[in-house]
Structure formats: structure tokens, C-alpha cells
Amino acid sequence: MRGLVIKNTGSWYTVRTDDGRTIESKIKGNFRLKGIRSTNPVAVGDYVHLIINQEGTAFISEIEDRKNYIIRKSPNLSKQSHIIAANLDQAFLVVTVNYPETSTTFIDRFLASAEAYRVPVVLVFNKYDLLDDDERRYQDAAIHLYESIGYKCVTLQATDDAPVERSIEQLHPLLKDKVTLLSGNSGVGKSTIINGLLPDANLRTAEISDSHNTGMHTTTFSEMLQLSYGGYIIDTPGIKGFGTFDIDKEELTSYFREIFKFSEACRFNNCTHTHEPGCAVLKALEEHYIAESRYNSYLSMLEDKDENKYREAF
């Protein structure tokens, strides 16, 4: 029997079968995906084959080939990966300039991983109404940067204290008939956005920690939610960091669109864009055709450094 994984609580997977049933399922035996060292071999969005038990539950016996997925380094096991979701049409990365602050390195690591696995990304800038004038100018600069690279950006005012319906309506045509991953740091407002899109969802929202200006987890598992006008949203727990996984340093340039464009004019084919003579990327950086924040994100991934938590100038 074939079905779609719509929820993952860690040990159990909820599968919606092709004939419309919902069956709680577990992985059969020492099930592992070939070639992927993952803490969760089955992810929301996977199409799987089931063996039904007498009790009405099932074992997952097979996973169909994925068209794509979003993956990150497991926060607890550095040599293991964690598959966030599979078979996506797009991802919405929800970011906030403040309350809490999303670092540019986090954004760029997510974008690079999405490029590597061929997942289109829309950047959703949330909580605009909470920003002061300087923060709004910073957000405008960020939007200008990412739109100039080729990423679609949307601005939302989605807070529990302000009406969200009018702001969120602009997402409807972008979501219609597509499978969309909704991701971002803890506390950026993903649950509030989903409650605006799906009023019956009634997802819990949480306050921001005053002492650290960081978000607290409210979603504890991944789940696929159906939209009334067609399509699905995959809601995932908030991510504090985004460690990239299995991206070769030789290929990294191609996952930064603007760096890749200039790299084609480098003198050496194996240029790392760090020190080489005749490097067109360094020249473009010096002439401000490449943003310093983006280049620093590239270096942090090239050197496999942890994300910094500080705001970068554009």
C-alpha cells in the first residue's frame, strides 16, 4: 500500500494512503536510506509503501525516490544529517530583522542548501510593524540585496496583537497547488502565519525570550497541513542554527548565485576566491558588486565555521 507521510513525531509517522486512510506507521527493522547518513531516514513529504498490521498500524517498508529535499547537519551528531522535508515545490524561509534577529549567515546557509538540492526559496520578512526606523532601513537593504540576486521577498506584519489576514493574503497565490516548506529560526512567527492561513490549525505561539531576544520552540514535530484552495504547508520546528551537510567545497561557489556569475571570469578554474591572483570574485567584492555579508557567509561555509550571531552590513 502506498501513501504520503504527513506527520513525523519522532518514533511514529502518520501516513495518508492513496485511498484516503490515515495510518500510524513505524519504520520496519533497521531501515536506512542508501547513501544518506540521516537521523531520520523518513521525512514529511516522502511517498512510502506500507505493510499493514493486524492492529491497524503499519510498517514502512520502502521510500520512493525523492525529487528533492532540504537537509541540514544534525545539531547533536555532527556526522549525521537531518532531513527537514522531502518532495518540495518551494520553501518559505521566515526571517525577522529583530524579535528575534535572524543572522545573514543563517539565511545564506539555508539558501545555499536549497540551491544544492534544487528547492526554490521565497524569503518572508515578518514582524515589520515591530521595527524602528533604523531596523526598517536595514530590512529594506536586505530585501534589495536578495531581490537583486534573484530571490523573491515578501514582507508580512504577522503578530498576535495585529490583524494578519490582509498581510497574509499575498501568500495565497504563491502557495496555491504547491507543497511548501515553512522554515526559520524559533520565534520568527511561523505558527502565527500558519494560523492566519489556516484558522482551524490553532497552533500555539510563544513569547520571545527577553534576556536573549531569541525564540522558543512551539512546534515540536513536522506536519503537512492542507490548504483549502489547494496545496500543502509543511510546518517544522524552529531551527536555531543551520549546519550545512554534504556540500563539497569545490561546488560551493555555484550555490551563491552572484558569486558563481563572477567566478566564470576568474583566471584559475579551481579558484577558491580567497587569495588567488586574477580572481574576479574578489574584484567584484572590492567594487561592491558582491555584498560583504554574502561573501562572509561563503567563507564561513568554505571554512566550515559555525554561524555567527551578529548582524552583517550589506
Side-chain angles (χ1 to χ4, degrees):
M1 180 176 290
R2 181 178 182 269
L4 172 66
V5 178
I6 61 172
K7 187 175 179 179
N8 171 14
T9 59
S11 56
W12 286 93
Y13 299 88
T14 304
V15 178
R16 181 176 294 148
T17 63
D18 288 349
D19 59 7
R21 287 187 286 168
T22 300
I23 300 177
E24 296 300 319
S25 309
K26 282 196 169 187
I27 297 173
K28 183 174 176 60
N30 294 322
F31 187 93
R32 291 293 179 268
L33 278 181
K34 294 179 181 178
I36 298 180
R37 296 166 295 167
S38 173
T39 57
N40 62 325
V42 178
V44 170
D46 272 327
Y47 286 95
V48 297
H49 293 196
L50 301 177
I51 299 173
I52 306 297
N53 302 321
Q54 291 181 345
E55 296 83 3
T57 58
F59 285 120
I60 295 173
S61 60
E62 181 184 343
I63 299 178
E64 295 186 2
D65 290 342
R66 296 165 170 148
K67 72 174 183 180
N68 60 26
Y69 50 88
I70 289 280
I71 192 170
R72 70 177 180 124
K73 190 179 293 182
S74 173
N76 300 320
L77 300 166
S78 61
K79 294 184 179 180
Q80 292 279 325
S81 65
H82 178 79
I83 301 169
I84 299 174
N87 298 316
L88 303 166
D89 292 314
Q90 61 186 354
F92 280 16
L93 181 64
V94 183
V95 300
T96 44
V97 168
N98 206 345
Y99 314 110
E101 179 184 330
T102 304
S103 74
T104 51
T105 311
F106 177 89
I107 296 172
D108 295 335
R109 282 173 175 258
F110 188 96
L111 291 176
S113 293
E115 292 281 348
Y117 295 99
R118 298 180 178 85
V119 179
V121 178
V122 175
L123 293 176
V124 180
F125 287 82
N126 197 19
K127 304 188 182 182
Y128 183 77
D129 49 307
L130 299 182
L131 305 180
D132 62 27
D133 290 343
D134 287 340
E135 290 166 340
R136 290 187 178 191
R137 281 191 288 270
Y138 180 86
Q139 176 169 306
D140 290 343
I143 290 173
H144 176 75
L145 167 63
Y146 288 108
E147 286 184 338
S148 71
I149 296 169
Y151 292 104
K152 183 172 182 60
C153 297
V154 178
T155 299
L156 292 184
Q157 301 182 51
T159 68
D160 289 335
D161 299 324
V164 299
E165 288 78 13
R166 184 176 300 175
S167 185
I168 286 177
E169 280 178 2
Q170 62 186 304
L171 299 181
H172 292 182
L174 302 176
L175 294 167
K176 181 175 169 56
D177 298 329
K178 293 183 178 180
V179 176
T180 303
L181 169 69
L182 196 67
S183 191
N185 288 147
S186 303
V188 294
K190 297 186 303 297
S191 295
T192 302
I193 291 170
I194 289 178
N195 285 336
L197 292 166
L198 294 163
D200 294 336
N202 292 322
L203 299 183
R204 290 191 305 116
T205 59
E207 299 295 326
I208 303 301
S209 167
D210 290 333
S211 57
H212 300 290
N213 194 26
T214 56
M216 295 173 281
H217 295 293
T218 52
T219 301
T220 56
F221 51 81
S222 298
E223 183 173 12
M224 180 179 280
L225 304 168
Q226 189 166 10
L227 297 166
S228 61
Y229 43 85
Y232 294 90
I233 296 174
I234 298 179
D235 183 28
T236 58
I239 303 170
K240 288 187 177 179
F242 199 91
T244 49
F245 188 82
D246 270 357
I247 292 182
D248 293 334
K249 291 184 178 181
E250 294 77 14
E251 299 176 352
L252 181 60
T253 299
S254 61
Y255 305 140
F256 284 76
R257 296 179 183 180
E258 73 280 33
I259 293 178
F260 179 71
K261 182 179 75 172
F262 285 103
S263 71
E264 294 178 327
C266 288
R267 182 184 302 174
F268 301 108
N269 290 333
N270 61 346
C271 185
T272 63
H273 321 302
T274 56
H275 63 278
E276 295 86 349
C279 175
V281 170
L282 290 176
K283 185 173 186 291
L285 177 68
E286 183 180 341
E287 296 175 351
H288 305 293
Y289 290 111
I290 293 174
E292 187 175 341
S293 64
R294 290 278 290 170
Y295 182 72
N296 287 341
S297 295
Y298 165 78
L299 289 182
S300 78
M301 293 180 68
L302 188 69
E303 298 164 5
D304 200 25
K305 289 182 178 178
D306 291 335
E307 299 162 56
N308 66 64
K309 297 182 180 179
Y310 301 101
R311 178 179 296 177
E312 293 269 12
F314 295 108

